[in-house]
Amino acid sequence: MRKKIIAGNWKMNKNLIETGALLSDLKSKVGNVQAAEIIVAPTFTNLHKATEELKGADITVAAQNMHQAENGAYTGEISADMLKSIDINTVILGHSERRAYFGETDELLAQKVDTALKHNMTVIFCFGEELQDRKSNNHFSLVENQLKNGIFHVDPSAWKNIILAYEPVWAIGTGETASPEQAQEMHAFIRNAIGKAYNQEIADEVSILYGGSVKPNNAEEIFAKPDVDGGLIGGAALDAESFAAIANAI
Ligand code: PGA
């Protein structure tokens, strides 16, 4: 049976001291959630602290990004090997903010996915349409293309290390969520696309998270949908209380 997952993407928030405080709060509030795997993604400089702080707790620490090259002259970048060396085995790739503000394309993301998988990391692969795509009824083909170009090239055996996160850009940080029906409709479409590109078994096993203004007051109805296997949480992940409420909604 596929895994339920609640992941917190902290983005560029929380310094070292604030990270320590939030993590110790999270340990007591979500450390014993059994119904889902809990993942937190602090910023690079706090990842090591997070793995130390969470030793023994049932919470996975993920990075928010990484570079596709093994190493070399890429000023300011972080490699898979660097992450692995501090016990980070999970990485978010393709977040819409990376795509929009840092020019990450499907083609680049395909390389990042390959590098992460080569290092035996788990990839949380993000994708989703913008408002104009939905308004012009292009959202299904756009999402399918993001998947085809970014991740459908991987070997079938790699899917055990892939988590998908559907995040409609118009719902991220806007307070506007996709309705549970819109989320379910897209998640079912995505699962069907995986079934066509690979096979039904892989499609049935992959966890597909929803992201975009998930809050304690809307989490339960979104997570109740059969093809929604959890959430990628931004703003509400910065507060232990609300993240715990969302985790418990699963
Ligand atoms: P949000 O962010 O929950 O603040 O909308 C979600 C995300 O960007 O992953």
Side-chain angles (χ1 to χ4, degrees):
M1 223 182 65
R2 58 180 177 261
K3 240 196 285 179
K4 304 271 187 197
I5 297 165
I6 303 292
N9 173 12
W10 295 10
K11 309 190 179 184
M12 197 174 76
N13 293 294
K14 306 284 178 191
N15 65 25
L16 188 65
I17 292 164
E18 294 161 343
T19 295
L22 179 53
L23 289 173
S24 79
D25 233 9
L26 283 177
K27 254 201 299 198
S28 61
K29 291 196 165 72
V30 296
N32 56 2
V33 172
Q34 302 292 324
E37 179 182 354
I38 305 293
I39 301 177
V40 293
T43 195
F44 284 128
T45 53
N46 299 330
L47 288 174
H48 187 47
K49 161 90 176 174
T51 55
E52 299 274 294
E53 182 78 29
L54 293 175
K55 270 210 177 97
D58 217 1
I59 301 176
T60 303
V61 183
Q64 298 174 17
N65 178 33
M66 59 163 238
H67 196 268
Q68 66 277 19
E70 292 298 329
N71 57 4
Y74 300 102
T75 302
E77 290 292 332
I78 308 279
S79 71
D81 177 57
M82 291 169 187
L83 294 174
K84 297 277 295 189
S85 73
I86 54 164
D87 284 335
I88 301 296
N89 297 299
T90 304
V91 62
I92 298 172
L93 294 176
H95 190 278
S96 68
E97 288 147 20
R98 299 294 318 168
R99 294 175 188 258
Y101 308 144
F102 303 97
E104 296 198 2
T105 60
D106 290 343
E107 291 65 32
L108 174 78
L109 291 167
Q111 293 175 35
K112 291 193 176 199
V113 165
D114 289 341
T115 303
L117 293 174
K118 184 174 153 213
H119 285 265
N120 225 357
M121 297 178 81
T122 294
V123 171
I124 302 176
F125 186 76
C126 307
F127 54 94
E129 82 282 1
E130 298 196 24
L131 188 56
Q132 74 246 28
D133 305 312
R134 188 163 274 267
K135 281 194 167 147
S136 56
N137 216 23
N138 265 338
H139 47 303
F140 291 114
S141 63
L142 185 117
V143 160
E144 190 163 22
N145 278 333
Q146 286 176 322
L147 292 169
K148 276 186 179 153
N149 298 334
I151 204 151
F152 277 3
H153 64 284
V154 303
D155 192 77
S157 65
W159 277 87
K160 61 182 186 310
N161 290 328
I162 293 169
I163 299 163
L164 296 180
Y166 166 61
E167 299 204 300
V169 179
W170 48 272
I172 295 179
T174 58
E176 190 174 340
T177 12
S179 68
E181 292 70 32
Q182 285 173 320
Q184 169 57 27
E185 184 186 33
M186 184 58 91
H187 283 224
F189 172 81
I190 293 161
R191 207 176 297 287
N192 188 46
I194 300 166
K196 279 193 296 178
Y198 290 89
N199 59 54
Q200 201 52 44
E201 196 185 336
I202 291 177
D204 286 340
E205 279 302 306
V206 64
S207 299
I208 308 177
L209 314 185
Y210 168 80
S213 298
V214 177
K215 306 288 178 206
N217 64 0
N218 60 23
E220 199 170 333
E221 53 175 5
I222 297 173
F223 297 161
K225 292 295 177 190
D227 285 296
V228 178
D229 305 308
L232 181 55
I233 320 299
L238 298 173
D239 174 73
E241 197 98 5
S242 61
F243 189 66
I246 291 169
N248 283 313
I250 202 118

